[in-house]
Amino acid sequence: MSAPDWARTVEFTVTAAEAVTVDRARIHYYDEGPESPVRVPVGQRLQYADGDRWREVRVRPGSDRSPAANTATELLFAPVTAQRFRLVMTAGRGCRVALSDLELLGPRGGRAS
């Protein structure tokens, strides 16, 4: 997934067939380097749907606080159960975001998505 040139905030939503419990996410961003407009985001937030509202997961210590280029960025959080999850990314000025993979993982290491 790549954001259009004009987008500063990009959202990527995952909808599971049924509610799943997850307690961590692995996010892979593609980065073409400092000479390219395709860069990791300057900010990221993982959210889950709670009825009609989006709630942010509370990232635990030990998580990768900043998005990483061309490797896994891992977010750890208390288990949440939901059917829809959303990754909200903020692109740097004049840059685009390229998300190559989002893994949502359950408490026992099982892959939820």
Side-chain angles (χ1 to χ4, degrees):
M1 177 197 148
S2 183
D5 291 336
W6 50 266
R8 182 123 164 87
T9 300
V10 181
E11 299 174 356
F12 180 75
T13 303
V14 175
T15 303
E18 58 188 39
V20 294
T21 300
V22 300
D23 67 351
R24 62 193 161 111
R26 281 192 202 122
I27 308 162
H28 298 261
Y29 296 107
Y30 183 70
D31 189 313
E32 292 182 345
E35 302 302 316
S36 170
V38 179
R39 304 302 312 269
V40 296
V42 295
Q44 64 186 5
R45 298 185 325 266
L46 182 64
Q47 302 173 331
Y48 63 97
D50 181 12
D52 292 339
R53 303 176 98 183
W54 286 102
R55 300 200 184 271
E56 211 158 303
V57 300
R58 292 187 182 165
V59 178
R60 293 192 327 225
S63 294
D64 297 323
R65 293 286 179 173
S66 298
N70 303 318
T71 189
T73 298
E74 189 159 21
L75 302 179
L76 309 170
F77 46 90
V80 295
T81 301
Q83 187 174 1
R84 293 183 306 141
F85 294 85
R86 176 169 74 178
L87 180 63
V88 180
M89 301 158 282
T90 304
R93 185 171 308 276
C95 294
R96 292 183 285 170
V97 173
L99 175 68
S100 61
D101 193 26
L102 170 61
E103 297 176 273
L104 300 171
L105 301 160
R108 288 181 273 289
R111 187 175 174 153
S113 169

